Each structure stands twice: as C-alpha cells, then as structure tokens.
Amino acid sequence: MVSKMLRTGFSLMALTALVACGHTADVRPNEKLTGPDEFSVVPSKPLQQPTDLSALPAPTPGGSNLTDPTPEADAIIALGGRPPVAGGVDGGIVNYASRYGVDPAIRADLAKSDARRSDGRRSFILFGKKTYEGAYKGYALDAQDEWERLRAAGVIVPAAPPQ
C-alpha cells in the first residue's frame, strides 16, 4: 500500500513539474488572425476604352495606372477641390513662392547659417538639450501672445489656442 501511494505521489509530482515547465498560451487573441481591415479594401476604378489608342502613354513598370484607386484625390474632387498634381507638388504654389527668383545655393546658405547659429555643432542631443532648437528659439511664436496681439489689432480670431 505504501508503495502504491508512493508511486502515485511521485507520479503527481512529476506530472506537476512537467506541466509547470510547459509553455503557457497567450489568452489574448492573435492580432494577425482578427480578420481583414474593411477600410483598407479599396475597389479599383472601372476600365475605360480610350478614344485614341495612339495617344496612350508608355507603360512604366512600378508606375501608376489609370485604374489604380486614388481615394484621397477622389475625395478632394468630390468635395469640390482641384485634383492634386502628380508628384505631390502644386505648380501654383511653387510658382508663387519663386515669383522673385530662386537662389540655387539656398540649401548650402541655410546649412552655413544653421552651423553658425548652433555654434558649429550639429543638431544632436547634448545633455538632454537640442542645439538646433536652442539656435532658433528666438524665432518661435507663442500662440497665446500672438492670439492676444491679433485680438488687440481688431483681427477676428475664431478661438483661443489651448494653454
């Protein structure tokens, strides 16, 4: 009888040790198995027969297609706006910004100015302080002060900025 109880006790201890060493399953659902995102499914545009087949553009591998979905551009057009231009650059804005000419060395001039303002140091964190932000701190606008200045000047300001 002792032998049978001893074997049962050792068996239970071995089983407990074996179960304790096992891998516990995560009780949260696996995020990869939750199903498709219904907002990421965008239907393609319908195919259209062009009026002149000789005027078709040359195919570009990896480029866009006339039937590719453009939900952002479609939303802008549906709300009454102008469709965005290819490449993300609006020619009107570029023309207006460069109406007095464009300096081809502007990037080099700004890099020299940044280096001079930050005492020749690059923009990195030194002792928890960013040197680039310190160099341009005097040019920052305080939203609350600017709001008060505009209100005093009689400009209609719709809402106060958050504190």
Side-chain angles (χ1 to χ4, degrees):
M1 177 133 155
V2 174
S3 163
K4 193 173 188 179
M5 282 181 64
L6 195 58
R7 276 190 287 172
T8 306
F10 280 129
S11 297
L12 286 175
M13 283 185 2
L15 182 64
T16 303
L18 185 65
V19 169
C21 293
H23 177 69
T24 59
D26 192 4
V27 294
R28 294 174 296 170
N30 190 351
E31 294 163 357
K32 294 179 183 175
L33 300 177
T34 56
D37 182 13
E38 61 273 8
F39 295 108
S40 67
V41 178
V42 181
S44 62
K45 295 178 182 176
L47 293 175
Q48 296 176 353
Q49 179 72 27
T51 55
D52 185 15
L53 294 177
S54 62
L56 288 175
T60 54
S64 63
N65 191 346
L66 294 176
T67 60
D68 286 344
T70 54
E72 293 169 355
D74 293 342
I76 291 170
I77 293 168
L79 294 173
R82 286 185 291 170
V85 294
V89 178
D90 187 2
I93 293 173
V94 172
N95 290 337
Y96 183 78
S98 60
R99 66 190 179 278
Y100 299 120
V102 178
D103 183 11
I106 187 67
R107 292 186 189 269
D109 292 345
L110 288 175
K112 287 179 193 173
S113 177
D114 288 347
R116 189 172 48 249
R117 281 199 178 95
S118 57
D119 300 325
R121 296 173 285 176
R122 293 285 182 202
S123 177
F124 63 94
I125 299 175
L126 181 64
F127 301 115
K129 192 171 187 179
K130 293 182 179 176
T131 58
Y132 184 83
E133 289 177 5
Y136 289 96
K137 191 170 190 167
Y139 296 103
L141 288 177
D142 182 15
Q144 191 70 34
D145 290 344
E146 188 66 15
W147 180 72
E148 291 171 3
R149 183 187 72 78
L150 290 172
R151 293 274 311 240
V155 176
I156 298 173
V157 182
Q163 291 287 346

